[in-house]
Structures are given as structure tokens and as C-alpha cells.
Amino acid sequence: MLFDTHAHLNDEAFREDRDTLICGLKEKGVGFVMNAGCDLQSSKECIALAEKYPFLYASVGSHPDAAGEVCQELMETYLQMSKHPKVKAIGEIGLDYYYEGFDRQVQLDAFRMQMELARMAGLPVIVHERDAHGDGMEMVQAFPDVTGVFHCYSGAAEMAQQLVKRGWYIGFTGVLTFKNARKAVETAATIPLERIVLETDCPYMSPEPYRGKRNDPGRLIYMAQKLAEIRDLPVEEIIEITTENAKRLYRI
């Protein structure tokens, strides 16, 4: 069974058919889903969904877009939430320098506080990093005892190799199937297969031939098929390996 290592099933995009979709995932070959928090409210929603469905898990944390909410009081709240048996990671946290008008220092401070939170909680982290490769690696180096996954990986293969050497996993979304996905394909071809996990990041990042449409965990098979093509392996073997990788990542 496939493991979707990063989803947002609590998103408003699933309001009309959320329960029906989730209940049908096993028929589509998806046996496990990590639902990732982006702020305090969504983290609570992720836990609520994980309590409702035994094959769903949750992470708690504040996305770079919500960095302004991060404070010591929130960290104490997240620490208590992290003790829930279905919470398996801190995230998604990190840096996003893609858009203008943000405060880098606010993002860096929030990232640092949540890396420290992960250290205290003894949990892996889910890192969102876009156009911030240098600062992202500096943070990784500052917390050598904290590892996890760089989700929706967008960096170069060389950086991914450095992360893997430090014990990190690399997450690939539907971008892997895009015709212009040169860097993602190169990275997926060169890093150890034992450090690759698959994700949808739904409702975003829908793979070909559904690019631009609402994504869901049922489409994870397209990423598995593409990775099988890249690595010249049977898709069944890719599913088995990436699912075991995900279980190891999230300690399930």
C-alpha cells in the first residue's frame, strides 16, 4: 500500500467530499496518509482527522506563511499537542523566499524555534523550503540531532545528497511527472532509493495528466510509476520501498 507522506485533507478544497474521498483511499492502494499542519488551527484539524481514521496521521507546526504566529506560548501548545499518539512529526515548518514582502528574520526565528521544539519532542520535522537553500542548510547544520524530510523538494541533486548523508529524507510530489522537472528527476535518479518518500501535497501539485486540477492521495500512484521509470524498477518494488521509508521516517 502507498504512503502519502504529505497531504492537506483538512483543506477547504475537500469540504464537499472529504469523508467519501478518505473512505475510498484504500481501494486506490493508499494505506497511510500524513496530514500536515500549517498553523495552530490546521494542526488541530489534522489531529481530529487522525482520530477519526486509523490510517491517517498528523503533524503540528507553523508554515513559513504563518511564521508571525510563532511565539513561546505557541511552542508550549505544540509541545503538548505533539504528545498525542497520532502526531508523528513537527511541520510543516521552514522557509519560503519565493514571494516579496516577507520578513526573512521572522521566518528564520520561527524555523529555529520549531526545530528546537522537534528536538524537545523527539520527533522528525517536515520542512518546506523554497528559494532558501542556503539558509535552509544552515539551519540543518545548526540542529544536527534533528532530521526529517524536505518535502516537495526543489533544490539541486547535490544538496539532496548532503541532506541524505545527514540522515534526511527527500519528498517528491507530482512535480516529478512534469515535462520540465529536470532537477527533480535528476535528484530522484541519483540519491539512495532508501531515502525517497512520495507525497501529493494535495490539494496542490497534481501530477500529469491532472496538472492544474485538485489533487488527492489517490493520485500518488502516478508518482510511484514515474519513480519506477526513473529507477528502472517494477512499480510494486517502488511502492514497497517508499512505504517502508515513510514508516521509518515517521516511526510508525
Side-chain angles (χ1 to χ4, degrees):
M1 300 291 277
L2 286 156
F3 195 137
D4 187 349
T5 59
H6 194 109
H8 300 286
L9 291 171
N10 55 300
D11 192 273
E12 181 67 15
F14 298 108
R15 181 171 57 87
E16 296 294 335
D17 61 346
R18 182 179 295 110
D19 289 329
T20 301
L21 188 151
I22 293 173
C23 289
L25 288 179
K26 289 197 174 182
E27 294 179 5
K28 296 180 178 180
V30 179
F32 312 88
V33 179
M34 168 57 71
N35 216 36
C38 293
D39 54 23
L40 179 57
Q41 180 58 36
S42 64
S43 295
K44 291 178 179 178
E45 293 168 356
C46 289
I47 292 176
L49 275 177
E51 289 175 336
K52 187 173 181 180
Y53 297 99
F55 58 94
L56 261 58
Y57 297 90
S59 69
V60 298
S62 294
H63 185 282
D65 290 348
E69 76 175 6
V70 175
C71 61
Q72 192 55 46
E73 182 180 358
L74 180 59
M75 293 304 94
E76 292 170 4
T77 299
Y78 280 155
L79 183 59
Q80 291 304 311
M81 292 169 70
S82 73
K83 296 176 182 178
H84 191 287
K86 296 300 290 288
V87 172
K88 300 296 183 179
I90 302 299
E92 62 184 286
I93 65 176
L95 303 169
D96 194 323
Y97 295 172
Y98 182 76
Y99 296 107
E100 296 181 1
F102 61 86
D103 189 322
R104 290 195 180 191
Q105 194 58 52
V106 170
Q107 287 195 18
L108 285 164
D109 290 346
F111 192 10
R112 186 175 295 106
M113 290 178 72
Q114 293 181 98
M115 289 289 279
E116 181 60 38
L117 168 65
R119 174 191 282 165
M120 293 175 62
L123 291 174
V125 293
I126 300 170
V127 171
H128 171 109
E129 183 273 299
R130 183 163 63 160
D131 289 358
H133 306 320
D135 285 349
M137 285 302 296
E138 284 188 16
M139 195 67 72
V140 165
Q141 293 163 6
F143 290 87
D145 53 345
V146 177
T147 57
V149 57
F150 266 57
H151 106 91
C152 192
Y153 186 74
S154 61
E158 292 78 12
M159 178 177 158
Q161 290 161 1
Q162 292 179 42
L163 287 165
V164 164
K165 287 178 181 178
R166 292 177 173 272
W168 287 75
Y169 291 81
I170 305 298
F172 292 100
T173 64
V175 170
L176 193 64
T177 70
F178 295 174
K179 292 179 176 62
N180 61 346
R182 181 185 57 81
K183 286 201 300 183
V185 170
E186 180 184 354
T187 302
T190 56
I191 65 173
L193 193 55
E194 291 72 23
R195 288 289 161 175
I196 293 176
V197 293
L198 301 176
E199 57 172 286
T200 59
D201 198 17
C202 66
Y204 316 106
M205 301 295 180
S206 224
E208 296 288 359
Y210 301 101
R211 188 173 181 178
K213 298 180 180 180
R214 189 190 76 170
N215 200 8
D216 70 68
R219 292 178 179 165
L220 195 63
I221 185 62
Y222 291 93
M223 283 70 103
Q225 290 170 345
K226 182 62 178 182
L227 184 58
E229 175 189 320
I230 292 168
R231 300 301 290 247
D232 193 23
L233 290 170
V235 68
E236 294 81 8
E237 187 172 344
I238 290 294
I239 291 171
E240 181 179 357
I241 292 172
T242 57
T243 294
E244 288 305 310
N245 294 347
K247 289 181 177 180
R248 193 164 60 249
L249 162 64
Y250 292 131
R251 303 164 193 172
I252 294 171

